[in-house]
Each structure stands twice: as structure tokens, then as C-alpha cells.
Amino acid sequence: MHHFHYSGHDLHCESVDLAAVAKLYGTPTYVYSAATMEDNYRRLQRGLAGLDVQLCFAMKANSNLAVLRHFANLGSGFDLVSGGEIRRVLAAGAEVKTSVFAGVGKTEAEIKLALQNGVFSFHVESEPELARINHVAGTVGVKAPIAIRVNPDVDAQTHAKITTGKSDNKFGIPLKYAGAAYEAAAKYPHLAIKGVQMHIGSQLTSVAPFVEAVEKVGPLAAELKAKFGITYFSIGGGMGIVYRDALASGQPGWWDAQPPEKRPLTPESYGAALVPLLQPLGLKILLEHGRFMVGNAGVLLAQVEHLKRGAGKNFLVVDAAMNDLIRPAMYESYHEIVPLQRDSSRRSLTADIVGPICETGDCFAKDRQIQDVGEGELIAFMSAGAYGYAMASRYNTRGMAAEVLVKGSAFELVNARESFEQIIAGEKIPAFLK
Ligand code: LLP
């Protein structure tokens, strides 16, 4: 469910007319729905009722300060992957005490920053990292809380670039070596063993791989509890969202109307399958969902520049580009594209929907059917709240898009569009070229 819907002919986010947002702040602009994020947070909590759950929102999906503050206010911690992300959480006025620090290449400076801010735990990806965290903790004069990321060798049945739990992925320590890694960790004077972690991939659309992974790692978690007194098991993130019928999926009744075999993963079905497996462990359960929390809570607004009618092919050229939303170019991912003003009297049009960037990959959709829209009209890319702005770049010297947060009938600019002066602020001409 989400809070994007047509009211009359006009696409709204909660009670806000998106055309009004575009008029005020221009395009391309990301717009996020606070109510959708809150609903997702609460549904996940309810879906896993019966467990002691801590959500650590995977902020790599969307790290806007307002979004972080919203989740912190709801009681969420964060799944952090860099010193920059730690500093973002602090800048959002939140704490990192309920957050975990993951990633295969944490630097000494990042480890130090996490320790100084009382991070809940480090998710350790390799044995050399144990030594490094131990060393830094020694210099800071604290014991570093750790969990080892175990790679359960499960096929997440998702896109190759976002699967992480297979033995040929770079992540974690294979299950069969995990026992030895914990023995090694126990010998370090500045480490405190606190938990165990796994994460098998992203955009999972069925619960089966989660079940398989929990069944594989669960016995190890029980053993570690008995041996080292671990207190938590992080089962990672990865819950997928609806991309194809994104707009319809926000309407009441849509989910119930789906045949069971086609019904996407929900927090309820996820919880129903996993709670019985996790409850007997008697451990705190950490969740690191990113996409599920924010994916369908955001859209990217863009304006049509031209409709270019080619030989047997139409191109709808819009003012957003692959630098703003790279997912279609990078993962061949599908984003539903809808007009901001719906007009049923118009014919539909089949076109490639493309940005202005000088490469063929700057294409959001091929042969897509969309209502006939012309120059100056507005469209929205659905399901753009996760890995949208967060993966944007300045390619072609295009500034970063603006971001707006909506709550009810209120909306505010939460990140101003980047100016040319900001883009080049760090650059200079060296003396030897002058
Ligand atoms: N925990 C760990 C250790 C992760 O590596 C990730 C995502 C997550 C949690 C959150 O996964 P989520 O709940 O969002 O699926 N840029 C790609 C997705 C990359 C995911 C990387 N790791 C995309 O746009 O599809």
C-alpha cells in the first residue's frame, strides 16, 4: 500500500497535488510520502509481532536527512555502511546506538567514528576485519560489539547484481567456516560477541529463500547463544516491492484481488513464515529492510521536453535522466510511468521514454504505452523512493534533483536542487595550466 492516487484527474501524494509541487520546485524532483513510510514501518512491526524486533532501516536506499529523522522518530535504527552514513544519522538529529555498521571495507577512521558514537554492533564480513576492529577498539579503549555476517549460500532468485547470499558473492563468511571465525573473534581482547547476521539479497519476491536461509543459519544462532551468549540475530533486509502495478497496488482491494500465486510478498506473509522459525531462538531479531520501507513511498517527477516521432518509433524525451534514476539503465528495472494529469479522452502512445543524456543507455522504458503527453506536461516515475536519489550522479553536469517530503496536506522541500556553482565548488584550475 502507498499514498499515491488520482484525485479527480490529478495525481496526488497523500493530499498534495503533485503538479503543484512540480510548479513550485521544478523538475526533476523526488517526492516522498511520510504516511507511506510510517505505514510500512508499522506493518513490518505488526507482521513480526511475537518477536523482539529492532528495525535498522537500510539507509543506503534513501538517506535524505528528513527521511532519516522520520524513521528515527518512529523508533527505527539504521543499517549503516560508511562514515558518511554515520554522520548523516547524527546530522538528522538521531543517534546511532540502535544502528549496525555493515560493509566489506570499513576503514579504521570509520570504525573509530562508529565506536565513538556507541554503535549497537559491527557486522563483520571477514577475518582480517575482526583484527582491524579489535585494533581500533583497543586504541579507543572500548570493547567493540560484533556479529559475523554468515553467507548461507542461498539463491535469492533476484537480479544477479543484487544477490548477496551465494558463496560466490563477496559478502560474509561461509556458514561452514563461521564457527571457526567466532572462535577467532572470542580470542580478541577488544571484541564483544553480540550476535549473528545474514543478508541474502534485495528485491526478493517470495518468502522461500528467506525461510531457507533462516533454517540454515538458525541452528548456528542457537549454538552461538549457548556458547558466547549472543543476544541478537539480524536476518538482513531484502523484502521486494511491486514495481509493475505500482500505482494500482496502492489502492485498497488490489492485494486481495491478486491470485495467491501472484500475490507479492507482504510483511504479513513474511512474518507468518518467519516468526515460527525465529521465536524458539529467544533472540532479539534485527531487520535491515531498505527498499520495502521507502520504495513505494517515493516518485520522481519529470517534465516532457519533446515527443520525437521517429521512423516506426516514438521517443518521449523527458527532463529526468539516468543520472537522476539509474535503476533502469543499471538493472534493466521496470518503473511504472504515469501522467500527472489523467485524461481518458486522449489516445495512448507507444514510445521509448528517454532522458537527454548522450548515451543510448539513458532510457527508462522501451516501447512503453502511456497516455499521449506533449511538451511541458508532467509525468511521474513510480516506486522511485528506494535507490533513486541515493544512486544519482552529476553525469553530464546535471545537478542533483530536488527532494520534497509530503505529510498529509503539508509538503516541504527537504533538499534543494543542486546549482551549477555547487557542482563545481570543489574544482579548480591548477597553477601549471594558468
Ligand atoms: N542489509 C545489507 C547488508 C545490504 O547489503 C542491503 C542492500 C540491505 C540490508 C537492504 O536491502 P533491501 O531491503 O533494500 O533490499 N541498488 C540496488 C539494491 C542494492 C542493495 C544492496 N544491499 C537496486 O536499486 O535495486
Side-chain angles (χ1 to χ4, degrees):
M1 291 283 283
H2 59 73
H3 294 264
F4 293 90
H5 57 93
Y6 284 99
S7 179
H9 298 293
D10 303 310
L11 188 64
H12 281 62
C13 172
E14 305 188 26
S15 308
V16 171
D17 182 350
L18 287 170
V21 176
K23 195 165 173 210
L24 202 54
Y25 300 120
T27 49
T29 293
Y30 280 92
V31 182
Y32 309 124
S33 156
T36 307
M37 295 181 206
E38 181 166 350
D39 283 357
N40 291 342
Y41 181 84
R42 298 204 188 285
R43 271 182 78 188
L44 202 51
Q45 295 278 347
R46 275 199 307 272
L48 294 171
L51 298 175
D52 174 13
V53 168
Q54 170 67 47
L55 179 79
C56 294
F57 167 56
M59 61 178 279
K60 60 170 83 72
N62 188 326
S63 56
N64 180 282
L65 296 189
V67 170
L68 301 183
R69 179 58 173 264
H70 185 38
F71 279 118
N73 288 349
L74 289 168
S76 183
F78 301 96
D79 171 38
L80 312 158
V81 290
S82 70
E85 287 196 349
I86 298 174
R87 296 181 66 182
R88 271 189 180 274
V89 171
L90 300 173
E95 290 187 331
V96 295
K97 289 188 170 52
T98 49
S99 298
V100 290
F101 189 10
V104 295
K106 305 169 193 80
T107 66
E108 291 202 359
E110 288 173 325
I111 294 167
K112 188 170 172 191
L113 184 65
L115 286 170
Q116 285 167 338
N117 285 287
V119 75
F120 180 71
S121 192
F122 290 89
H123 288 167
V124 180
E125 301 259 3
S126 65
E127 288 174 26
E129 214 195 336
L130 286 174
R132 180 178 285 189
I133 296 173
N134 176 68
H135 167 73
V136 178
T139 62
V140 176
V142 293
K143 271 199 167 209
I146 63 123
I148 288 176
R149 175 169 181 178
V150 174
N151 186 330
D153 194 20
V154 165
D155 186 356
Q157 293 154 17
T158 182
H159 191 283
K161 280 188 187 154
I162 53 176
T163 190
T164 52
K166 286 291 290 168
S167 54
D168 53 357
N169 299 133
K170 69 180 175 184
F171 300 100
I173 292 180
L175 195 53
K176 62 178 175 204
Y177 304 135
Y182 273 95
E183 294 294 345
K187 295 202 177 78
Y188 285 108
H190 307 297
L191 298 183
I193 296 173
K194 293 284 183 198
V196 61
Q197 195 265 358
M198 63 170 211
H199 171 76
I200 56 174
S202 197
Q203 183 55 16
L204 272 71
T205 50
S206 116
V207 80
F210 288 114
V211 168
E212 189 186 339
V214 168
E215 280 174 342
K216 278 185 154 180
V217 180
L220 173 73
E223 199 182 308
L224 296 170
K225 185 181 176 194
K227 207 164 184 181
F228 301 109
I230 66 163
T231 56
Y232 82 90
F233 178 13
S234 173
I235 61 169
M239 200 152 85
I241 60 166
V242 175
Y243 280 101
R244 217 154 261 278
D245 295 315
L247 187 63
S249 74
Q251 312 316 310
W254 183 86
W255 292 80
D256 296 331
Q258 302 307 303
E261 70 283 2
K262 278 202 165 164
R263 198 164 294 159
L265 196 53
T266 61
E268 294 76 28
S269 55
Y270 175 80
L274 296 180
V275 171
L277 302 176
L278 294 168
Q279 216 163 23
L281 295 172
L283 291 167
K284 188 182 189 72
I285 301 300
L286 263 56
L287 302 172
E288 302 166 11
H289 294 289
R291 188 190 316 264
F292 171 75
M293 308 308 298
V294 290
N296 280 337
V299 297
L300 171 62
L301 304 182
Q303 182 172 308
V304 174
E305 294 292 353
H306 310 284
L307 172 61
K308 179 177 166 185
R309 294 192 191 271
K313 189 117 184 137
N314 296 316
F315 294 97
L316 192 66
V317 185
V318 302
D319 70 352
M322 64 191 287
N323 74 298
D324 302 301
L325 177 66
I326 201 166
R327 301 194 69 260
M330 193 149 172
Y331 313 112
E332 298 86 36
S333 63
Y334 182 99
H335 285 266
E336 191 178 6
I337 303 170
V338 297
L340 253 55
Q341 215 179 23
R342 198 162 54 173
D343 180 352
S344 53
S345 70
R346 289 210 209 167
R347 287 198 307 197
S348 75
L349 163 84
T350 302
D352 283 11
I353 299 175
V354 301
I357 282 183
C358 305
E359 60 178 283
T360 309
D362 186 24
C363 177
F364 293 110
K366 284 217 170 297
D367 296 321
R368 183 71 65 87
Q369 259 208 329
I370 180 171
Q371 169 189 306
D372 200 344
V373 277
E375 187 176 334
E377 291 190 290
L378 297 162
I379 58 166
F381 292 84
M382 302 300 296
S383 328
Y387 306 109
Y389 185 93
M391 293 180 78
S393 76
R394 302 180 178 84
Y395 188 37
N396 276 214
T397 307
R398 293 168 52 88
M400 298 287 281
E403 293 175 288
V404 168
L405 183 65
V406 171
K407 188 168 194 271
S409 56
F411 64 97
E412 224 174 280
L413 186 67
V414 292
N415 194 3
R417 184 176 311 288
E418 195 178 30
S419 67
F420 172 71
E421 287 68 29
Q422 287 171 313
I423 298 177
I424 61 160
E427 299 181 33
K428 66 175 196 125
I429 309 295
F432 56 76
L433 289 183
K434 281 183 185 158

